[in-house]
């Protein structure tokens, strides 16, 4: 097992709380994790191992020594655009044609590229993605740098405290400028990878806002946000309302582009350990360009 040190400075809002309250109520660490940290005496404050019920002061320094697995993803060198990085997390810009995480036959995923970046910068961390993008969708993907960061960020994502905004070019002129698509999504029995709107599927809600329409090209530039994160959600929902993503052959889109015109444009959240307001915007990566010509 490797050991990773995680340093957290007590913010003014947490003054007078104790370690127990911070771990349980603010960051909602699992009971098993808290038990292991307590048994390992893995938590110190200003260099001292203290009682977990001792009130904390503003700017106290908490150090958590984490037991980390040796199991690190295979590093694979690949150009990587880092959009945001600190001691706890990493946001990167995923290009088209790259899977978010590796499968049995493929080791050139974004996870492998991030593993290479971390190794090359002498950071002993396992790359842990918080969410995924389809292989041919571009944009920002968030990674945690240790197991505790992942627990907290996973919970934030699940509680919709991490806002993800997508830009898309949809076929046709969408008449309604703003709308919500509420339709459950399930597997398509007739296709191994396709999804479809299905009464027996999982609840899925997509909000969209038409930014601009282009009559000549018969395209609508839209901004989407999700209340749920179902596989292919935006692609399925836009196809369902008769405006599939341009370039999305799987869901009936036109052949306007060589990939589905979907880009994870922005990520916004309050940093769980610094309380900073984080906003990450992902530049467009396509060559030849897809979105730039319509801005």
């Amino acid at each position: 097992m490797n050991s990773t040190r995680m340093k957290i400075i007590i913010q003014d809002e947490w003054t007078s709380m104790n370690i127990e309250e911070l771990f349980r109520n603010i960051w909602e660490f699992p009971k098993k994790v808290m038990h292991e940290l307590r048994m390992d005496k893995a938590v110190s404050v200003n260099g001292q191992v203290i009682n977990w019920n001792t009130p904390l002061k503003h700017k106290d320094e908490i150090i958590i020594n984490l037991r980390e697995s040796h199991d690190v993803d295979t590093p694979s060198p690949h150009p990587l655009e880092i959009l945001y990085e600190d001691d706890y997390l990493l946001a990167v810009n995923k290009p088209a044609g790259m899977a978010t995480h590796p499968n049995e036959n493929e080791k050139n995923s974004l996870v492998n590229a991030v593993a290479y970046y971390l190794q090359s910068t002498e950071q002993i961390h396992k790359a842990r993605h918080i969410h995924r993008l389809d292989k041919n969708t571009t944009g920002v993907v968030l990674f945690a740098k240790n197991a505790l960061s992942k627990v907290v960020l996973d919970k934030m994502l699940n509680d919709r405290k991490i806002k993800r905004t997508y830009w898309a070019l949809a076929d046709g002129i969408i008449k309604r400028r703003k709308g919500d698509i509420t339709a459950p999504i399930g597997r398509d029995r007739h296709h191994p990878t396709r999804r479809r709107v299905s009464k027996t599927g999982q609840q899925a809600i997509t909000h969209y806002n038409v930014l601009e329409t282009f009559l000549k090209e018969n395209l609508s530039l839209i901004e989407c946000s999700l209340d749920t994160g179902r596989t292919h959600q935006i692609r399925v929902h836009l196809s369902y309302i008769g405006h599939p993503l341009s370039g999305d052959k799987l869901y009936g889109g036109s052949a306007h582009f060589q990939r589905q015109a979907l880009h994870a444009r922005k990520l916004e959240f309050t940093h769980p350990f610094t309380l900073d307001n984080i906003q990450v915007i992902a530049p467009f990566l396509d060559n030849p360009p897809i979105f730039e010509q319509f801005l």
Side-chain angles (χ1 to χ4, degrees):
M1 298 287 282
N2 289 326
S3 179
T4 303
R5 292 174 85 247
M6 184 175 176
K7 181 170 84 171
I8 303 170
I9 303 298
I10 294 301
Q11 304 299 312
D12 194 37
E13 289 89 329
W14 304 329
T15 300
S16 298
M17 286 188 181
N18 57 46
I19 293 171
E20 180 86 30
E21 290 170 325
L22 268 180
F23 287 4
R24 187 180 65 242
N25 301 333
I26 301 299
W27 298 316
E28 299 184 61
F29 292 167
K31 288 180 181 178
K32 182 184 175 187
V33 170
M34 289 176 60
H35 178 72
E36 287 176 356
L37 292 175
R38 200 191 292 269
M39 290 301 100
D40 290 348
K41 291 186 168 52
V43 182
S44 63
V45 178
N46 303 327
Q48 303 289 318
V49 176
I50 66 169
N51 186 297
W52 279 26
N53 294 315
T54 305
L56 297 164
K57 298 188 297 297
H58 185 215
K59 295 190 178 178
D60 275 352
E61 181 182 275
I62 294 181
I63 298 290
I64 306 173
N65 287 301
L66 303 170
R67 287 186 287 174
E68 297 274 47
S69 168
H70 284 292
D71 177 28
V72 176
D73 295 288
T74 306
S76 176
H78 196 284
L80 204 58
E81 184 177 13
I82 307 296
L83 302 174
Y84 178 85
E85 181 177 14
D86 61 26
D87 292 341
Y88 316 96
L89 52 92
L90 182 73
V92 299
N93 201 1
K94 188 185 89 63
M98 176 183 267
T100 300
H101 58 87
N103 59 33
E104 290 178 14
N105 307 314
E106 185 179 45
K107 299 298 180 192
N108 291 314
S109 72
L110 188 65
V111 164
N112 301 114
V114 169
Y116 181 85
Y117 166 75
L118 292 172
Q119 188 182 80
S120 66
T121 52
E122 299 183 349
Q123 300 186 65
I124 309 169
H125 302 298
K126 178 180 169 65
R128 300 167 168 88
H129 62 279
I130 302 303
H131 57 100
R132 292 178 289 185
L133 294 177
D134 296 339
K135 190 170 185 175
N136 282 320
T137 297
T138 55
V140 59
V141 177
L142 186 63
F143 285 81
K145 283 192 175 182
N146 62 59
L148 282 185
S149 291
K150 176 158 173 58
V151 164
V152 175
L153 291 169
D154 278 345
K155 182 78 168 55
M156 287 176 65
L157 187 72
N158 192 54
D159 292 345
R160 301 207 290 271
K161 291 178 179 175
I162 297 176
K163 185 182 178 186
R164 291 179 286 167
T165 304
Y166 296 80
W167 279 19
L169 282 160
D171 286 331
I173 305 302
I174 300 176
K175 300 288 195 297
R176 195 175 170 195
R177 304 299 293 185
K178 281 189 176 183
D180 305 319
I181 309 168
T182 303
I185 293 174
R187 289 183 176 275
D188 187 329
R189 295 195 306 273
H190 307 293
H191 196 285
T193 58
R194 196 163 54 201
R195 299 296 194 274
R196 67 185 183 91
V197 168
S198 164
K199 288 180 182 178
T200 58
Q202 293 177 295
Q203 181 198 30
I205 302 171
T206 302
H207 309 285
Y208 72 85
N209 177 29
V210 178
L211 300 176
E212 203 164 339
T213 55
F214 304 92
L215 291 173
K216 183 182 170 187
E217 294 85 358
N218 195 33
L219 292 172
S220 298
L221 175 65
I222 63 173
E223 188 176 77
C224 298
S225 62
L226 310 179
D227 278 4
T228 49
R230 309 303 175 205
T231 301
H232 298 180
Q233 180 171 322
I234 293 174
R235 300 167 66 186
V236 173
H237 272 174
L238 288 175
S239 179
Y240 175 67
I241 65 167
H243 294 282
L245 290 177
S246 188
D248 193 357
K249 294 171 189 170
L250 186 62
Y251 291 103
S254 66
H256 207 98
F257 307 111
Q258 71 264 21
R259 71 171 184 91
Q260 70 258 14
L262 183 62
H263 179 72
R265 180 66 168 161
K266 189 163 54 173
L267 203 63
E268 298 169 276
F269 58 95
T270 299
H271 197 297
F273 303 116
T274 67
L275 301 184
D276 292 334
N277 291 319
I278 306 297
Q279 183 182 94
V280 181
I281 295 175
F284 302 109
L285 296 170
D286 294 283
N287 189 18
I290 290 179
F291 286 91
E292 289 93 327
Q293 58 190 305
F294 297 102
L295 299 180

